[in-house]
Amino acid sequence: MAWPIESGRMNASDPLALLAVAIEEARTGQAEGGVPIGAALFTLEGTLLGKGHNRRVQDDDPAMHAETSAFRDAGRRPHYRDTVMVTTLSPCWYCSGLVRQFGIGHVLIGEASTFSGGHEWLAEHGVNITIVDDPGCIAMMTTFIDENPRLWYEDIGEVTDIADRPC
Amino acid sequence: MAWPIESGRMNASDPLALLAVAIEEARTGQAEGGVPIGAALFTLEGTLLGKGHNRRVQDDDPAMHAETSAFRDAGRRPHYRDTVMVTTLSPCWYCSGLVRQFGIGHVLIGEASTFSGGHEWLAEHGVNITIVDDPGCIAMMTTFIDENPRLWYEDIGEVTDIADRPC
């Protein structure tokens, strides 16, 4: 993990503290019975602008992935170049598109082992990507996918015949 | 305009009728003082699943682009392969990411002259893209961008020093 890669403005001891905010969001979503993915948007100096978690189950809303939820919570800004999107999981194409379109300069990712979205594409387009490879994030997603495959595949738009485990 | 390109299932006389639903959404947004971009999600048979328009101004919500709004209105589905996203304007990277992640098979676009987002990228990834090149859509966006450059650039995450015209 190299952090920060180029900005030099963020305290190098901060990434795990930033990730902790996204993990807390993921755990809140998990406790609500939802998809346990959390995200938070910070300034490069570490000021929290917004946070949120996947709300597919809670709000019956397929558009509210964690990163979109955090972005929405942060609200309107003239631009997002000086911000960091922190997420517990590699951003899917939808959320990667969000990062690219709004010019978010940095993405800090808890893990990209259980799912790999568009973070390499973002890196090719100049976004500063840091992957923590956090064991807690990996365990949380591994358990979730194992217990809720249908919900998981619905959340990433893939078709599956696997049924979720009965409660 | 070639429609439908491959499905053969949608009535070929329908694309302008589908686009009319998105245009009506855009005009509703315009009347509300918002960014005049509308979208609607249909089945390949032409059944309306959801519709919406950009709500940045109305809801103070930077995450609610037209396509996301329509997708959200359509609600949760096991998959979206048999759907068409209809939008008045070429989808930005955020909305293109939505289309790719959720496997929406077709995108019908009113115009891609005033703004070109990720539709070519989507085509490279197997999405069936149709551009109507509708003069009404072009005129609506041209006028909007001319009168509201700051709001427009905010909506696509670009920095500008141009001020909007005073009311």
Side-chain angles (χ1 to χ4, degrees):
Chain A
M1 180 178 69
W3 179 271
I5 292 177
E6 62 179 27
S7 77
R9 288 198 279 162
M10 182 173 277
N11 186 330
S13 68
D14 275 349
L16 295 183
L18 302 191
L19 182 60
V21 176
I23 291 173
E24 185 182 355
E25 282 294 321
R27 293 210 169 118
T28 298
Q30 185 179 41
E32 292 167 351
V35 180
I37 304 172
L41 191 72
F42 290 90
T43 66
L44 284 184
E45 290 75 22
T47 301
L48 179 66
L49 298 172
K51 60 182 180 176
H53 51 270
N54 187 302
R55 304 196 60 82
R56 170 176 296 273
V57 173
Q58 298 90 322
D59 296 347
D60 222 23
D61 185 348
M64 212 42 64
H65 273 196
E67 296 89 332
T68 288
S69 184
F71 179 76
R72 190 182 199 197
D73 189 49
R76 293 171 61 183
R77 296 174 67 84
H79 65 83
Y80 298 82
R81 289 183 187 169
D82 57 349
T83 65
V84 186
M85 180 63 83
V86 183
T87 175
T88 54
L89 183 67
S90 172
C92 78
W93 288 112
Y94 174 44
C95 300
S96 295
L98 174 83
V99 168
R100 180 170 175 186
Q101 186 62 49
F102 292 103
I104 294 170
H106 303 251
V107 181
L108 176 64
I109 299 168
E111 63 106 351
S113 302
T114 61
F115 173 80
S116 181
H119 66 268
E120 292 181 356
W121 175 73
L122 288 174
E124 290 167 9
H125 290 282
V127 180
N128 187 337
I129 302 291
T130 303
I131 302 175
V132 176
D133 206 21
D134 179 75
C137 289
I138 294 171
M140 185 162 53
M141 278 310 291
T142 301
T143 301
F144 169 74
I145 294 170
D146 184 51
E147 294 180 351
N148 306 275
R150 184 176 295 273
L151 177 58
W152 167 239
Y153 287 112
E154 179 194 315
D155 196 55
I156 55 171
E158 292 186 12
V159 182
T160 181
D161 290 330
I162 306 169
D164 290 346
R165 288 186 188 174
C167 296
Chain B
M1 181 178 68
W3 178 270
I5 293 177
E6 62 180 28
S7 78
R9 285 197 281 163
M10 181 172 279
N11 185 329
S13 68
D14 275 349
L16 295 183
L18 302 191
L19 181 60
V21 176
I23 291 173
E24 184 182 355
E25 282 294 321
R27 293 209 170 119
T28 299
Q30 186 179 41
E32 293 168 351
V35 180
I37 305 173
L41 191 71
F42 291 89
T43 66
L44 284 183
E45 291 74 21
T47 301
L48 179 66
L49 298 172
K51 61 183 181 177
H53 51 270
N54 187 302
R55 303 196 59 81
R56 171 176 296 273
V57 172
Q58 297 90 321
D59 296 348
D60 222 25
D61 185 348
M64 212 40 64
H65 273 196
E67 296 90 330
T68 289
S69 184
F71 179 76
R72 190 181 198 198
D73 189 48
R76 293 171 61 183
R77 296 174 67 84
H79 64 83
Y80 298 82
R81 289 183 187 170
D82 57 349
T83 65
V84 186
M85 179 64 82
V86 184
T87 175
T88 55
L89 183 67
S90 171
C92 78
W93 287 113
Y94 175 44
C95 300
S96 295
L98 174 83
V99 168
R100 180 169 177 186
Q101 187 62 50
F102 292 103
I104 293 170
H106 303 252
V107 181
L108 175 65
I109 299 168
E111 63 106 350
S113 303
T114 61
F115 173 80
S116 182
H119 66 267
E120 292 182 356
W121 176 74
L122 288 174
E124 290 167 9
H125 290 282
V127 181
N128 187 335
I129 302 292
T130 303
I131 301 175
V132 176
D133 207 21
D134 179 74
C137 288
I138 295 171
M140 184 162 55
M141 278 310 290
T142 301
T143 301
F144 169 73
I145 294 171
D146 184 51
E147 294 180 350
N148 307 274
R150 184 178 294 273
L151 177 56
W152 167 240
Y153 287 112
E154 179 194 314
D155 197 54
I156 55 172
E158 291 187 12
V159 182
T160 181
D161 290 331
I162 306 168
D164 290 348
R165 287 186 189 174
C167 296

